[in-house]
Amino acid sequence: MAIWNLGSINADMVYSVPHLPAAGETLAAQDLARFLGGKGANMSVAAARAAAHVRHVGAVGRDGTWAVDRLMEYGVDTRHIAVIDVPTGHAIIAVEPGGENQILLYPGANRALSIDLLTAALSAARPGDTLVFQNETNLQLEAAGLGRELDLRVVYAAAPFEAEAVQAVLPHLDLLILNAVEAEQLQKETGLSPDALPVAEVIVTLGAEGARYFETGSGQSQHFPAHKVTAVDTTGAGDTFTGYVIAGLDRGLPMPQAIAQAMRAAAIMVTRHGTADVIPDLKDVQDTVLS
């Protein structure tokens, strides 16, 4: 099986700061590092490091070929990444000592994908493959519709959150992954709690409280507690979780096992500075001792 990821690719410029800046505040950074990032790239790397076959569908500018090379080094199939005449997406990320972050995002090439690129890529998909996408590219609704037509498992990671974008793709989804704040915002817009959404499976991540899984058809839910670790950088933790969940499912793991493995991966991720470049591989996840 394969995972097809219609996903963003960014250069993450990470600034270490003594605290997150307030409105109008000028703040000197203590350090700067550049990482491969973007929610899509993070998920592709996470799924690849979780031993899945991942095919990334996306775009970079001519200034971003290094990011494509990096994805390839991490085991991601990059043949469906276009190089176009729009600057590569990038994020300016401020991280304070406790690990909390603040992000300014420029979409760039991520919002300039062509329908021809998407349809050509998915023409090679097979029933039972997984299609995942996020709210950092264009063509989300088109991808969701194609995924349903091709009998793929269609997964949406609802971030950065826009209620209208989520509602547009809900009818096509098999699995929706969102955090607690996003779930609350979606409920305000739709009047539906996570267990009542018209999606077969919903996962709500709860930060330090773990995650909750809803199987909407049966009405059953399960809570997964978080591992206790000292966080230094939470950037990319949710993407790591999502990548590991879909990789586990693609490899045939039952949902509870896929989530448990993803919880371990995300816990390890927050103890490291960086994004895609520091996502743990499957051996790390299996061997690391966590509380």
Side-chain angles (χ1 to χ4, degrees):
M1 309 302 287
I3 294 171
W4 301 82
N5 183 2
L6 175 67
S8 55
I9 303 170
N10 288 338
D12 279 357
M13 310 301 291
V14 181
Y15 296 83
S16 298
V17 293
H19 59 266
L20 298 182
E25 179 181 9
T26 299
L27 184 64
Q30 299 159 327
D31 192 23
L32 167 65
R34 185 185 76 170
F35 299 96
L36 172 65
K39 299 192 72 63
N42 294 342
M43 290 177 195
S44 281
V45 172
R49 287 188 158 180
H53 180 197
V54 185
R55 299 186 176 186
H56 195 102
V57 184
V60 297
R62 300 191 184 281
D63 58 331
T65 54
W66 66 271
V68 181
D69 293 340
R70 193 79 60 82
L71 283 166
M72 190 182 305
E73 290 171 8
Y74 294 145
V76 177
D77 186 329
T78 62
R79 73 187 78 182
H80 301 295
I81 298 176
V83 178
I84 62 177
D85 290 323
V86 177
T88 301
H90 63 264
I92 297 173
I93 304 170
V95 181
E96 54 88 39
E100 290 301 317
N101 62 68
Q102 192 175 80
I103 302 173
L104 179 65
L105 178 68
Y106 170 70
N110 297 314
R111 292 281 182 178
L113 307 181
S114 71
I115 189 65
D116 290 342
L117 173 69
L118 175 64
T119 54
L122 293 185
S123 67
R126 296 292 178 263
D129 284 356
T130 297
L131 170 67
V132 62
F133 55 102
Q134 326 80 36
N135 193 25
E136 286 188 343
T137 73
N138 60 322
L139 301 180
Q140 296 166 47
L141 184 56
E142 293 85 348
L146 278 171
R148 177 58 59 230
E149 290 176 15
L150 295 169
D151 198 23
L152 310 181
R153 179 193 284 119
V154 182
V155 181
Y156 186 53
F161 183 81
E162 291 179 10
E164 184 177 346
V166 180
Q167 291 180 82
V169 299
L170 275 179
H172 305 288
L173 302 183
D174 297 297
L175 172 61
L176 173 65
I177 302 176
L178 66 174
N179 66 32
V181 173
E182 293 159 353
E184 182 178 349
Q185 291 173 328
L186 185 60
Q187 184 167 345
K188 287 181 179 178
E189 291 290 330
T190 64
L192 300 174
S193 58
D195 59 333
L197 289 168
V199 181
E201 297 177 298
V202 178
I203 300 173
V204 179
T205 58
L206 306 170
E209 300 302 314
R212 181 164 290 277
Y213 165 60
F214 300 90
E215 190 176 45
T216 60
S218 67
Q220 295 181 339
S221 69
Q222 184 175 352
H223 178 252
F224 295 81
H227 297 279
K228 294 181 179 179
V229 297
T230 301
V232 298
D233 186 353
T234 59
T235 310
D239 305 331
T240 299
F241 176 86
T242 298
Y244 262 81
V245 167
I246 60 177
L249 297 175
D250 183 71
R251 299 195 336 265
L253 293 181
M255 180 65 83
Q257 291 183 22
I259 293 176
Q261 185 169 269
M263 294 293 294
R264 292 180 59 83
I268 295 169
M269 176 68 175
V270 301
T271 66
R272 302 173 174 180
H273 287 286
T275 43
D277 299 293
V278 297
I279 293 172
D281 62 22
L282 190 56
K283 189 174 187 305
D284 283 338
V285 171
Q286 293 172 339
D287 292 350
T288 300
V289 177
L290 295 170
S291 61

